[in-house]
Amino acid sequence: MTSTYETLRERLQVAFDALEMGADPVLRTSERGDYQANGVMALAKRLSRPPREVAATIIESLDLADVATVEVAGPGFLNLTVTTEFLDRQLGELAADERLGVATAPNPKRVVIDYSAPNVAKEMHVGHLRSTVIGDALARIYRFAGHHVIARNHVGDWGTPFGMLIEHLVDLGEQAAASTLSIGDLDGFYREARSKFDSSDAFKGRSRARVVALQGGDPETLRLWHVLVNQSITYFSEVYDKLDVTLSAEDVVGESYYNHLLESVVEDLRAAGLLVESEGALCVFPEGFQNRDGEPLPLIVRKSDGGYGYAASDLAAIRDRVGTLHAQEMLYVVGVPQAQHLEMVFAVARQADWLPDSVRCEHVTFGNVLGPDHKMFKTRSGETVKLVALIDEAIERAFVILDDRGTDLDGDAKYHLAEQIARAAIKYADLSTERQHDYVFDLDRMIAFEGDTGPYLQYAHARVRSIFRRSGTPFVPGDAHFALAAPAERSLALGLLALPEAFTSALASLQPHRLCTYLFDLAQRFTSFYDTCPVLAAEGALRAERLALCDLTARALELGLSVLGIDAPAQM
Ligand code: ARG
């Protein structure tokens, strides 16, 4: 189906094109009319004509027959009011469409999304939470739009710290080390290794030798390294399960994967004349990057000790993603502190011709998670907060809330629901904040059934579903007519028809919060409708119409939540 927005935009475009080919009507939903086109003013300026006169010319040629009526307002806004006949037809099509009007991309792309990326033998912290939750929502949104998503979990599994980590593993004994790691005490393991490294010269010496053995491919060292990596990956997978994140073991392509490509990165940069030796290190100075003193900034590809760094594996990853995976778009869902690193890597890849201009490559940044004191979120003793601890705490709270509400569930069913609520609370709080903004991690607010929260939307959905459980007769979609006599019905109808725009806008801007805002607004429209328009007490055609609006609402909430990675249980 063609969405309401698209229908209006296409018709406006014809009229705008008549005055200037390709002029943007700038159509958006409005408070006053149902939709508003604001493109007249800019067009009038370009044509050096009075805006209201341009508006009048557009209206004359505008073919809105049976779709909407139009009025000029203010300096030249076009206010469009959709006709009931058109809404009726659109809702009929919506009811028959599993995708609720959301189109699939005409040209599906291969899209690499780099997200989560925790580090081996280090705890996943709240920074990884945002990357994981936002990255996974984007992956689901892209998939739903019909794109081919290739998730890449660029796990930190290589580098000098592995010398001390492996030696610590040897000291503890593999069995004991594995069990520490499997219960998720990754930071403890790392800390102990670090403190031995700092306090014992002998340990330091062994660690350094171990790094050399690792880089040299010594089989026993590699075996020990695998133990560390595998234990950590198993642990990360448990966290992903708890969060219901779609990342799987196949998506883990860590830094170490690119080792075999690093030499050619250096050789090809050298051949391209981009490599500069500086204090023993091999660097590229990409155009346009300077330090505070205005000196060119190096991207270090190979360190003076001969080891390759983080930048080298990122360069190799770009070559792999573009050259082998044939990515047409690449998203890096990584914290702001790495902005400069990524910009420099992208710039070098472009200069080396590894990243064609046709490939969209973006750093998808996000703000910080703050504690109740509005400072970086830490435990009371100042340590990083473990992700699992947060999820478990949320599940406990969900239990309490369910008990308070007098749930009649118990056992597995109750636990399952508590998990669904906990995930919704955590994910929605993260996704509904504008990506670049910080937010305060306040579990009480996040998990409440009231306000702009995940559990509120789940509850709104379950409440709509409950109407059908009580209705007595099976619901037959498709035989309703939408007269939309009550204002709240009309408002709900417009809300339902706006899902495709919300989805498209979230996709185009890489801002899942736009979908959250939409869903919250829809739930509120539903509440006004339900407060003023009796459903089960209505009769005949009116009952059928209202039930159909309820059905569409439940489906829109479920679909919207699902592309955000949030379950919509039928009963709460
Ligand atoms: N492991 C890194 C960290 O925890 C994030 C990796 C991001 N992805 C990338 N391709 N550099 O900070």
Side-chain angles (χ1 to χ4, degrees):
M1 69 178 283
T2 309
S3 74
T4 308
Y5 177 89
E6 272 310 309
T7 307
L8 292 172
R9 212 194 52 79
E10 279 168 14
R11 302 214 178 189
L12 282 162
Q13 192 64 59
V14 175
F16 273 70
D17 281 350
L19 287 179
E20 183 192 281
M21 204 55 199
D24 185 357
V26 194
L27 183 65
R28 55 177 191 81
T29 50
S30 87
E31 295 295 317
R32 261 160 278 150
D34 301 334
Y35 288 87
Q36 189 171 68
N38 297 342
V40 169
M41 279 74 75
L43 175 62
K45 204 166 174 196
R46 290 196 298 273
L47 299 175
S48 311
R49 284 173 57 185
R52 286 190 68 99
E53 189 190 298
V54 173
T57 317
I58 286 182
I59 288 182
E60 249 169 66
S61 71
L62 191 56
D63 174 19
L64 283 178
D66 69 5
V67 167
T69 56
V70 61
E71 254 175 28
V72 185
F77 300 114
L78 301 179
N79 281 344
L80 303 158
T81 307
V82 188
T83 65
T84 307
E85 295 70 50
F86 183 60
L87 289 177
D88 178 37
R89 254 185 292 143
Q90 289 291 94
L91 289 168
E93 284 187 37
L94 198 65
D97 182 4
E98 260 182 34
R99 300 178 55 89
L100 296 176
V102 179
T104 44
N107 304 307
K109 286 188 178 183
R110 294 175 65 81
V111 184
V112 169
I113 308 185
D114 183 316
Y115 69 102
S116 193
N119 301 311
V120 165
K122 272 199 197 162
E123 195 55 63
M124 282 177 94
H125 54 71
V126 287
H128 295 114
L129 171 73
R130 294 214 73 184
S131 172
T132 306
V133 170
I134 296 169
D136 204 52
L138 290 175
R140 290 173 194 255
I141 290 173
Y142 267 76
R143 281 188 203 115
F144 191 68
H147 296 292
H148 180 67
V149 171
I150 305 163
R152 277 292 176 265
N153 193 354
H154 196 83
V155 168
D157 61 358
W158 200 254
T160 36
F162 282 89
M164 68 176 194
L165 291 170
I166 292 172
E167 284 308 317
H168 183 48
L169 180 114
V170 170
D171 286 355
L172 284 181
E174 273 172 61
Q175 217 56 45
S179 68
T180 314
L181 292 171
S182 68
I183 57 157
D185 189 14
L186 274 56
D187 276 350
F189 185 89
Y190 197 96
R191 243 196 329 267
E192 283 169 29
R194 177 92 241 174
S195 83
K196 283 200 280 182
F197 187 87
D198 290 338
S199 60
S200 150
D201 283 339
F203 186 82
K204 200 180 270 178
R206 276 164 55 198
S207 301
R208 295 221 164 111
R210 196 53 99 166
V211 177
V212 176
L214 183 64
Q215 285 168 345
D218 169 55
E220 172 62 7
T221 303
L222 280 176
R223 192 187 62 78
L224 294 168
W225 170 79
H226 267 296
V227 173
L228 278 178
V229 173
N230 291 343
Q231 285 297 339
S232 300
I233 305 282
T234 307
Y235 172 69
F236 298 148
S237 303
E238 282 166 27
V239 179
Y240 296 146
D241 278 350
K242 278 206 177 194
L243 275 174
D244 187 20
V245 160
T246 60
L247 279 174
S248 72
E250 291 90 84
D251 304 324
V252 176
V253 180
E255 290 172 29
S256 66
Y257 171 82
Y258 302 99
N259 284 349
H260 67 293
L261 302 168
L262 299 179
E263 222 171 272
S264 70
V265 164
V266 168
E267 284 326 307
D268 294 350
L269 287 173
R270 196 195 306 279
L274 292 169
L275 213 58
V276 178
E277 198 175 321
S278 165
E279 292 163 36
L282 298 177
C283 315
V284 180
F285 291 88
E287 283 155 29
F289 291 89
Q290 290 169 341
N291 67 14
R292 271 189 227 114
D293 304 325
E295 291 154 3
L297 216 55
L299 184 73
I300 300 174
V301 183
R302 212 181 72 189
K303 293 178 279 184
S304 52
D305 66 4
Y308 297 96
Y310 187 50
S313 47
D314 262 326
L315 285 171
I318 291 190
R319 296 185 83 178
D320 186 59
R321 291 166 187 185
V322 175
T324 310
L325 301 176
H326 304 292
Q328 293 161 296
E329 188 169 326
M330 300 194 284
L331 306 178
Y332 287 74
V333 190
V334 181
V336 187
Q338 297 190 35
Q340 192 178 56
H341 160 76
L342 287 174
E343 274 169 37
M344 291 177 79
V345 166
F346 298 164
V348 170
R350 286 226 156 80
Q351 277 179 254
D353 263 340
W354 298 336
L355 180 55
D357 287 338
S358 60
V359 176
R360 177 187 184 195
C361 185
E362 266 194 57
H363 179 195
V364 181
T365 57
F366 46 82
N368 295 314
V369 183
L370 307 177
D373 55 358
H374 291 246
K375 300 217 178 87
M376 289 297 273
F377 197 26
K378 293 263 157 73
T379 61
R380 239 164 266 157
S381 52
E383 286 161 40
T384 44
V385 181
K386 274 192 182 191
L387 251 186
V388 256
L390 289 180
I391 305 167
D392 289 340
E393 194 183 336
I395 295 175
E396 262 166 50
R397 301 264 185 122
F399 258 103
V400 174
I401 293 178
L402 286 176
D403 285 336
D404 287 350
R405 300 179 74 91
T407 178
D408 44 23
L409 294 174
D410 54 23
D412 285 350
K414 186 175 172 190
Y415 186 78
H416 183 58
L417 182 59
E419 268 190 321
Q420 289 179 312
I421 295 172
R423 285 200 286 260
I426 292 180
K427 286 184 169 181
Y428 187 85
D430 199 292
L431 294 169
S432 60
T433 315
E434 203 168 324
R435 225 190 337 100
Q436 288 89 343
H437 292 180
D438 299 343
Y439 72 90
V440 173
F441 196 95
D442 174 357
L443 211 41
D444 286 333
R445 177 189 66 80
M446 289 158 53
I447 208 160
F449 277 38
E450 298 86 35
D452 188 6
T453 71
Y456 165 74
L457 290 178
Q458 287 181 316
Y459 181 64
H461 167 265
R463 199 167 57 139
V464 189
R465 294 276 184 218
S466 77
I467 298 168
F468 291 93
R469 282 193 294 276
R470 285 180 283 124
S471 82
T473 47
F475 171 70
V476 190
D479 59 359
H481 270 286
F482 299 91
L484 307 174
E489 289 169 332
R490 192 169 191 285
S491 154
L492 178 58
L494 283 168
L496 290 165
L497 291 168
L499 173 62
E501 287 142 75
F503 181 85
T504 311
S505 132
L507 174 73
S509 61
L510 309 173
Q511 296 278 12
H513 86 267
R514 298 203 178 166
L515 207 47
C516 299
T517 307
Y518 166 80
L519 292 173
F520 184 59
D521 173 71
L522 182 68
Q524 284 179 312
R525 286 180 199 238
F526 180 80
T527 302
S528 314
F529 158 80
Y530 200 56
D531 286 349
T532 52
C533 303
V535 177
L536 294 179
E539 279 169 21
L542 188 61
R543 188 177 200 259
E545 173 182 359
R546 290 184 175 168
L547 276 174
L549 288 172
C550 292
D551 175 61
L552 284 170
T553 305
R555 285 163 57 190
L557 289 172
E558 183 175 4
L559 192 151
L561 288 172
S562 84
V563 294
L564 293 171
I566 298 173
D567 287 331
Q571 244 172 307
M572 285 172 80

